């Protein structure tokens, strides 16, 4: 197979082949298959699963994790990690709620997004410029953000938010929740940013080999920083959805959300080693987790067991990622 | 001097796949003597050392330690009395001198450290290398490099080594300490140790060696008592092969000066001034650690310089700023393409695009079709063998990977390119292909600095060379003045004279 094509334009059949190649090389095919199988099994086991209402419900319930996972995909492809997403949702949501009560809903929205992006910027600054390990930095920020949330709120929720702030999490168009629409929009934007722009291309380069990227003239630090800011911003959007859904800000909002977010990204074929992954994969990962959660609810599985299954899924995904990476590495050295 | 062999190699060969690195090596280290081993980079010295250390097994032939077969793992080789001291320090900086000397070798009683016994043992070893005055409990990182090097030797002595192999022990030592190390080696010889001394510094050999063995292209091409050698003969034995004709050098009419660096001081670079003209190919020649890579990294903005200045077409290059260098058209082709040159998991078309986005994007959006067609075009122009431009670069052979690096650098018509050992680990066929493209770049106006681990290659392709030693430029020769022996003398001699 050493055919060197002579033509310059890309014929359509190559496009299809390339699309298939992208699907397979990013480990999307197995996860898509898993999604189909799990969905098929569930639709046999419960009559309610395959109803339009339930399907739209899955996307709606997945929206917080999904929106945050869009940002986390960028971070993880740079071979980083963001553990602070849940705490970020709680803190930015709380501050936004307080500001909205003092002023109006629009200032509330602005506050949420600015606070969330700032937390992302703090993560990014420590990781990119001070070169600290992302795991430790974001774990520390998780602790600080959650602690500040509890301190400021004194453990109490803030109830009764203005309509403008609740709108994203609480309204619907033609029966589809606005949070589900926002999730889809964010995935589309994320996909375009990651696969069609030079920024996304640089993200892959930095995650694949940061030294080679630097020597090729890519500003590695600003790329890494930006990835964390995007993750923070997405956490902010997720916070707004959370606020609207509950019509309140609770200090314990989104506890442990990072687990689901990282699980979705990794299950979706993005490598924790960096340099590999896709938004399409993350979307399917989010859906798979959503479908499994939904299915377990429909089948009346204990909530305790739900968390166990999520943990097991992460372990499985990481195992597959490591095996796949090792297989490729072995091919290269032989 | 006892006339028995401490180590004997008999018809030892080593192949990696189809490539024979060592071919039918036979020589012996006589007990209580110092044998010098010399050869160019790639002659097979390090493979030979690895075999002697037990790290790799020869493909055929055998190695005797005394009259027994050399054990086949490193621990057993050390226990049998043969220790290797490597070029880089292998101590553990935060552990004390005592713990380093007795690393993995502490005397214990019922599981507890027998401190007094250990101190006594360490002192015996340290005394032999002249370090008995040092504080045993201070962390070893507080010592000078030279002292740490000697401590490595002491560590081997404590393990009752009978045979010591020293691999380039002076490459990172200042001049005064080199003398001291050589004295220690002579003292150890007087105590009956057998020593194999591997070095690029030929003058050191004439001070301590009893015998010299010369390796070239994996074979022993010279073996005789020190009295039979002089420096000229040694250099001829090391290099004696015709200048390769595979490099199609042609005279180019040089343009005006493009890059000028004045009195540059940086890590590994001490007051170097260089300049280059358009269309010119300038080789940087020097021993390992002479500062070739460091100089290139300074010129391309990869590493900062502390003093001096670099101008490109009259405009100043900002110290340590890759973006500044690239804006001026100065590109770097790194030595280690796997670690520094390429994103191995990335596709060929992606690797061509990194850092050259202006060619394949608009307003930040990639033109995927253009990336694809550019990769196909480069594939043809540089005859890169790949299945598809979307194939991962890591799946290509070394030569083809290097061509991807070359293609990426060439596509922007750079003003100056610094190629650090562009043919490293590349087979002969691919080599001349790579040089053809370098000549092509040059005749289109690009100035090219380059290094090679093979000095002959540099002399075959360069219009001019700078000889580097100890971070300084110690010689500048035009192509008409090229003389391998003279250059090699400059590189190894000056390294000693000009230190500190």
């Amino acid at each position: 197979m050493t055919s060197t094509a002579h033509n310059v334009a890309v014929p359509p059949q190559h496009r299809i082949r390339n699309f298939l190649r992208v699907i397979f090389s990013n480990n999307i095919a197995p996860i898509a298959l898993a999604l189909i199988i799990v969905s098929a099994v569930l639709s046999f086991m419960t009559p309610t699963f395959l109803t339009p209402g339930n399907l739209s419900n899955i996307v709606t319930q997945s929206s917080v994790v999904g929106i945050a996972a869009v940002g986390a995909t960028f971070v993880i492809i740079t071979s980083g990690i963001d553990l602070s997403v849940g705490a970020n949702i709680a803190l930015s949501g709380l501050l936004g709620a307080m500001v909205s009560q003092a002023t109006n809903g629009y200032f509330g929205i602005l506050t949420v997004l600015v606070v969330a992006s700032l937390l992302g910027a703090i993560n990014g600054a420590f990781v990119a410029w001070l070169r600290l390990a992302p795991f430790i930095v974001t774990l520390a920020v998780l602790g600080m953000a959650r602690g500040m949330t509890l301190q400021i709120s004194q453990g109490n929720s803030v109830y009764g938010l203005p309509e403008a702030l609740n709108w994203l999490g609480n309204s619907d168009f033609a029966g589809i929740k606005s949070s589900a629409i926002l999730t889809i929009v964010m995935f589309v934007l994320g996909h375009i940013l990651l696969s069609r722009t030079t920024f996304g291309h640089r993200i892959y380069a930095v995650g694949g080999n940061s030294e080679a990227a630097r020597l090729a003239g890519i500003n590695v630090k600003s790329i890494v920083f930006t990835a964390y800011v995007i993750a923070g911003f997405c956490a902010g959007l997720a916070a707004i959805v959370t606020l609207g859904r509950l019509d309140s800000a609770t200090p314990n909002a989104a506890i442990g959300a990072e687990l689901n977010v990282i699980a979705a990204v990794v299950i979706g074929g993005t490598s924790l080693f960096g340099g590999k992954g896709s938004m399409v994969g993350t979307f399917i990962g989010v859906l798979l987790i959503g479908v499994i959660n939904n299915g377990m609810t429909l089948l009346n599985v204990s909530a305790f067991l739900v968390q166990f299954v999520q943990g097991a899924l992460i372990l499985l995904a990481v195992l597959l990622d490591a095996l796949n990476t090792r297989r490729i590495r072995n091919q290269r050295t032989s | 001097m006892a006339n028995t062999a401490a180590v004997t190699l008999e018809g030892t060969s080593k192949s990696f796949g189809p490539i024979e690195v060592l071919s039918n090596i036979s020589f012996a280290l006589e007990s209580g003597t110092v044998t010098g081993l010399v050869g160019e980079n790639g002659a097979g010295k390090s493979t030979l050392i690895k075999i002697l250390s037990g790290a790799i097994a020869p493909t055929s032939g055998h190695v005797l330690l005394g009259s027994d077969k050399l054990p086949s793992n490193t621990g057993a080789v050390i226990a049998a009395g043969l220790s290797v001291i490597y070029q880089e320090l292998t101590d553990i900086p935060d552990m004390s001198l005592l713990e380093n000397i007795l690393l993995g070798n502490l005397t214990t009683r019922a599981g507890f450290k027998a401190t007094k016994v250990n101190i006594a043992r360490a002192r015996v070893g340290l005394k032999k290398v002249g370090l008995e005055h040092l504080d045993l409990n201070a962390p070893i990182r507080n010592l000078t490099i030279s002292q740490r090097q000697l401590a490595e030797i002491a560590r081997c002595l404590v393990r009752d080594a009978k045979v010591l192999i020293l691999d380039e022990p002076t490459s990172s030592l200042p001049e005064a300490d080199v003398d001291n190390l050589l004295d220690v080696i002579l003292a150890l010889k007087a105590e009956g140790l057998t020593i194999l001394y591997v070095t690029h510094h030929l003058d050191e050999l004439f001070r301590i060696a009893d015998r010299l063995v010369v390796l070239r292209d994996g074979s022993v091409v010279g073996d005789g008592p020190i009295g039979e050698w002089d420096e000229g003969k040694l250099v001829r034995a090391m290099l004696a092969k015709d200048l390769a004709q595979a490099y199609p050098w042609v005279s180019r009419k040089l343009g005006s000066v493009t890059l000028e660096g004045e009195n540059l001081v940086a890590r590994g670079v001490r007051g170097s001034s260089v300049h280059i003209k358009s269309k010119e190919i300038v080789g940087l020649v020097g021993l390992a650690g002479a500062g070739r890579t460091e100089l290139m990294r300074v010129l391309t903005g990869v590493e900062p310089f502390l003093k001096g200045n670099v101008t490109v077409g009259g405009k100043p290059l900002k110290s340590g700023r890759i973006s500044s260098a690239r804006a001026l058209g100065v590109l770097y082709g790194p030595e280690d393409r796997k670690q520094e040159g390429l994103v191995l998991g990335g596709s060929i078309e992606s690797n061509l695009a990194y850092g050259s986005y202006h060619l394949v994007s608009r307003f930040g959006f990639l033109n995927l079709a253009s990336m694809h067609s550019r990769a196909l075009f480069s594939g043809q122009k540089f005859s890169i063998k790949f299945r598809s431009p979307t194939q991962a670069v890591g799946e290509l052979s070394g030569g083809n990977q290097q061509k991807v690096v070359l293609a990426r650098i060439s596509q922007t018509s750079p003003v100056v390119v610094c190629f650090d050992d562009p043919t490293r680990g590349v087979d002969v066929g691919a080599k001349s292909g790579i040089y053809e493209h370098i000549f092509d770049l040059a005749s289109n106006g690009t100035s090219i600095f380059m290094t090679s681990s093979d000095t002959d290659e540099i002399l075959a392709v360069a219009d001019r060379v700078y000889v580097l030693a100890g971070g300084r430029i110690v010689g500048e020769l035009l192509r008409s003045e090229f003389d391998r022996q003279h250059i090699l003398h400059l590189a190894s001699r000056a390294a000693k004279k000009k230190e500190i």
Side-chain angles (χ1 to χ4, degrees):
Chain A
M1 282 253 306
T2 47
S3 67
T4 335
H6 294 263
N7 48 347
V8 167
V10 188
Q13 66 265 32
H14 278 210
R15 291 228 173 116
I16 293 164
R17 199 195 297 161
N18 282 348
F19 178 73
L20 289 177
R21 197 194 56 81
V22 167
I23 298 289
F24 279 95
S25 68
N26 285 319
N27 296 336
I28 293 172
I31 154 97
L33 195 67
L35 178 62
I36 291 167
I37 291 173
V38 170
S39 304
V41 168
L42 283 174
S43 46
F44 276 114
M45 290 175 75
T46 87
T48 35
F49 179 79
L50 211 58
T51 57
N54 188 51
L55 292 183
S56 129
N57 197 23
I58 290 172
V59 180
T60 310
Q61 282 171 349
S62 304
S63 57
V64 171
V65 166
I67 293 167
V70 170
T73 304
F74 287 95
V75 168
I76 294 178
I77 293 178
T78 67
S79 79
I81 195 99
D82 184 0
L83 301 175
S84 67
V85 48
N88 190 342
I89 289 173
L91 179 61
S92 62
L94 175 75
L95 293 177
M98 291 169 75
V99 168
S100 74
Q101 288 189 338
T103 58
N104 62 47
Y106 300 103
F107 276 111
I109 290 175
L110 189 68
T111 306
V112 175
L113 294 179
V114 168
V115 169
S117 305
L118 264 178
L119 283 175
I122 292 171
N123 284 332
F126 278 96
V127 172
W129 278 286
L130 297 170
R131 279 179 286 170
L132 301 184
F135 187 88
I136 303 300
V137 168
T138 58
L139 187 64
V141 168
L142 181 165
M144 293 193 297
R146 188 65 76 178
M148 253 171 86
T149 310
L150 290 166
Q151 173 66 28
I152 292 169
S153 67
Q154 288 297 307
N156 302 317
S157 297
V158 175
Y159 295 103
L161 306 177
E163 178 53 29
L165 192 52
N166 279 343
W167 181 80
L168 264 180
N170 208 11
S171 59
D172 50 338
F173 292 97
I176 300 172
K177 287 279 183 202
S178 50
S179 58
I181 296 171
L182 177 69
T183 308
I184 306 286
V185 168
M186 286 307 291
F187 268 105
V188 170
L189 288 179
H191 175 71
I192 292 171
L193 188 58
L194 193 58
S195 64
R196 292 298 157 94
T197 68
T198 59
F199 171 75
H201 203 250
R202 289 182 176 105
I203 289 268
Y204 284 104
V206 166
N209 184 344
S210 69
E211 184 58 11
R214 185 178 83 94
L215 293 179
I218 292 173
N219 190 338
V220 172
K221 287 172 182 169
S222 82
I223 295 291
V224 170
F225 176 77
T226 311
Y228 282 91
V229 174
I230 291 175
F233 179 83
C234 288
L237 283 178
I240 294 172
V241 170
T242 309
L243 290 177
R245 195 183 291 165
L246 303 173
D247 186 26
S248 66
T250 74
N252 284 331
I255 272 195
E258 56 276 0
L259 196 70
N260 277 322
V261 170
I262 294 166
V265 175
V266 175
I267 290 171
T270 295
S271 171
L272 286 170
F273 300 99
K276 229 172 58 188
S278 72
M279 213 47 89
V280 177
T282 298
F283 184 64
I284 300 178
V286 168
L287 286 185
L288 183 62
I289 288 187
V291 164
I292 289 174
N293 286 347
N294 177 265
M296 288 195 289
T297 312
L298 293 180
L299 296 171
N300 286 322
V301 177
S302 142
F304 302 134
L305 208 54
V306 169
Q307 195 161 5
F308 171 84
V309 170
Q310 284 169 0
L313 270 177
I314 296 185
L315 199 58
L316 187 69
V318 172
L319 179 71
L320 291 177
D321 175 29
L323 291 179
N324 194 39
T325 306
R326 254 172 252 168
R327 184 177 56 83
I328 291 169
R329 206 171 284 160
N330 289 343
Q331 277 173 359
R332 268 177 212 149
T333 45
S334 63
Chain B
M1 231 175 269
N3 227 2
T4 53
V7 177
T8 317
L9 291 128
E10 284 173 356
T12 307
S13 299
K14 178 69 193 178
S15 302
F16 293 104
I19 301 155
E20 192 169 51
V21 183
L22 287 178
S23 153
N24 200 18
I25 303 285
S26 298
F27 70 91
L29 306 181
E30 302 295 331
S31 280
T33 67
V34 177
T35 304
L37 179 67
V38 291
E40 272 203 300
N41 292 327
K45 289 174 299 183
S46 31
T47 307
L48 187 60
I49 293 171
K50 278 186 193 151
I51 287 177
L52 290 173
S53 72
I56 57 176
T59 316
S60 62
H62 45 137
V63 184
L64 299 178
L65 182 59
S67 52
D68 303 322
K69 197 168 176 296
L70 187 81
S72 57
N73 72 70
T74 50
V77 169
I78 290 171
L82 187 152
S83 284
V84 181
I85 291 147
Y86 295 95
Q87 192 169 359
E88 280 89 32
L89 295 172
T90 59
D91 55 16
I92 299 171
D94 286 317
M95 281 168 71
S96 71
L97 177 58
L98 176 68
E99 284 167 314
N100 267 295
I101 297 286
L102 297 171
L103 201 63
N105 189 19
L106 282 169
T107 305
T108 55
R109 277 206 197 98
F112 292 94
K113 289 190 254 182
T115 307
K116 277 188 185 164
V117 181
N118 284 327
I119 289 177
R121 287 174 60 208
R123 289 225 184 275
V124 172
L126 285 170
K127 192 159 190 295
K128 289 182 183 169
V129 297
L131 293 182
E132 66 273 24
H133 57 285
L134 294 176
D135 178 4
L136 282 172
N137 293 314
I140 202 162
R141 72 158 74 247
N142 294 353
L143 305 186
T144 67
I145 296 290
S146 313
Q147 287 171 329
R148 286 165 74 176
Q149 183 89 55
L150 291 170
E152 298 246 340
I153 298 177
R155 183 159 92 202
C156 301
L157 298 178
V158 169
R159 295 189 298 216
D160 289 325
K162 303 283 184 291
V163 181
L164 283 185
I165 297 174
L166 293 107
D167 184 10
E168 297 272 355
T170 56
S171 59
S172 51
L173 298 189
E175 158 116 35
D177 296 335
V178 170
D179 289 340
N180 186 25
L181 180 77
L182 297 182
D183 288 343
V184 167
I185 290 169
L186 287 175
L188 292 176
K189 177 180 114 174
E191 286 202 12
L193 266 85
T194 308
I195 290 157
L196 181 67
Y197 192 86
V198 184
T199 187
H200 280 299
H201 299 282
L202 307 182
D203 49 339
E204 289 169 10
L205 292 172
F206 285 98
R207 287 172 55 191
I208 60 165
D210 300 303
R211 219 167 109 248
L212 292 181
V213 175
V214 184
L215 279 187
R216 192 176 71 226
D217 296 337
S219 303
V220 173
V221 293
D223 181 1
I226 193 76
E228 290 180 4
W229 297 95
D230 59 47
E231 241 178 87
K233 186 179 168 191
L234 193 52
V235 170
R236 270 195 300 282
M238 280 166 67
L239 300 182
K241 53 179 179 186
D242 287 330
L243 266 178
Q245 298 303 315
Y247 313 114
W249 184 88
V250 285
S251 167
R252 274 163 271 111
K253 194 171 183 307
L254 305 184
S256 54
V257 171
T258 52
L259 179 145
E260 211 165 2
E262 283 177 316
N263 301 318
L264 291 168
V265 177
R267 204 178 63 186
V269 180
R270 303 183 199 168
S272 296
S273 295
V274 292
H275 66 89
I276 193 165
K277 290 174 178 165
S278 113
K279 298 193 178 187
E280 192 176 27
I281 299 178
V282 173
L284 302 179
V285 182
L287 306 174
R292 295 169 298 181
T293 299
E294 289 82 353
L295 181 59
M296 280 191 167
R297 289 171 80 94
V298 164
L299 294 177
T300 50
V302 175
E303 299 287 343
F305 48 89
L306 307 170
K307 284 184 194 157
N309 63 75
V310 180
T311 54
V312 183
K315 294 188 191 114
L317 180 141
K318 287 187 192 132
S319 166
R321 298 277 289 276
I322 297 175
S323 54
S324 162
R326 293 178 69 87
L328 294 168
V330 182
L331 300 187
Y332 177 51
E335 182 176 15
D336 188 339
R337 61 182 166 264
K338 284 183 197 288
Q339 298 295 325
E340 304 187 323
L342 295 167
V343 179
L344 294 180
S347 65
I348 292 152
E349 56 186 35
S350 285
N351 271 282
L352 287 170
Y354 296 138
S356 305
Y357 291 113
H358 59 284
L359 299 171
V360 291
S361 70
R362 237 194 198 178
F363 309 121
F365 284 87
L366 292 168
N367 183 340
L368 298 180
S370 152
M371 278 171 67
H372 198 80
S373 58
R374 277 188 163 271
L376 290 175
F377 175 75
S378 292
Q380 277 184 316
K381 184 176 170 200
F382 291 86
S383 45
I384 307 169
K385 291 198 186 87
F386 53 67
R387 285 200 308 273
S388 138
T390 49
Q391 192 183 357
V393 137
E395 294 171 12
L396 302 182
S397 72
N400 282 311
Q401 289 181 1
Q402 189 62 46
K403 286 181 195 167
V404 174
V405 174
L406 208 60
R408 178 170 74 206
I409 286 174
S410 307
Q411 66 187 352
T412 56
S413 314
V415 180
V416 181
V417 178
C418 292
F419 281 117
D420 198 354
D421 207 352
T423 57
R424 176 170 136 174
V426 165
D427 65 75
V428 184
K431 253 183 201 182
S432 58
I434 287 170
Y435 279 117
E436 245 170 68
H437 293 294
I438 290 179
F439 286 126
D440 209 37
L441 259 180
S443 48
N444 284 325
T446 303
S447 310
I448 291 166
F449 281 109
M450 61 167 293
T451 68
S452 169
S453 45
D454 184 345
T455 308
D456 286 342
E457 245 176 72
I458 292 280
L459 299 185
V461 301
D463 302 308
R464 185 162 60 93
V465 297
Y466 287 113
V467 184
L468 280 85
R472 288 195 172 82
I473 288 171
V474 296
E476 180 184 352
L477 295 96
L478 291 171
R479 190 175 178 89
S480 56
E481 308 162 329
F482 282 180
D483 174 349
R484 269 181 301 163
Q485 295 191 26
H486 177 55
I487 289 172
L488 206 85
H489 277 286
L490 271 177
S492 51
R493 272 272 178 77
K496 303 215 21 88
K497 278 186 191 145
K498 293 224 173 179
E499 276 288 345
I500 292 198

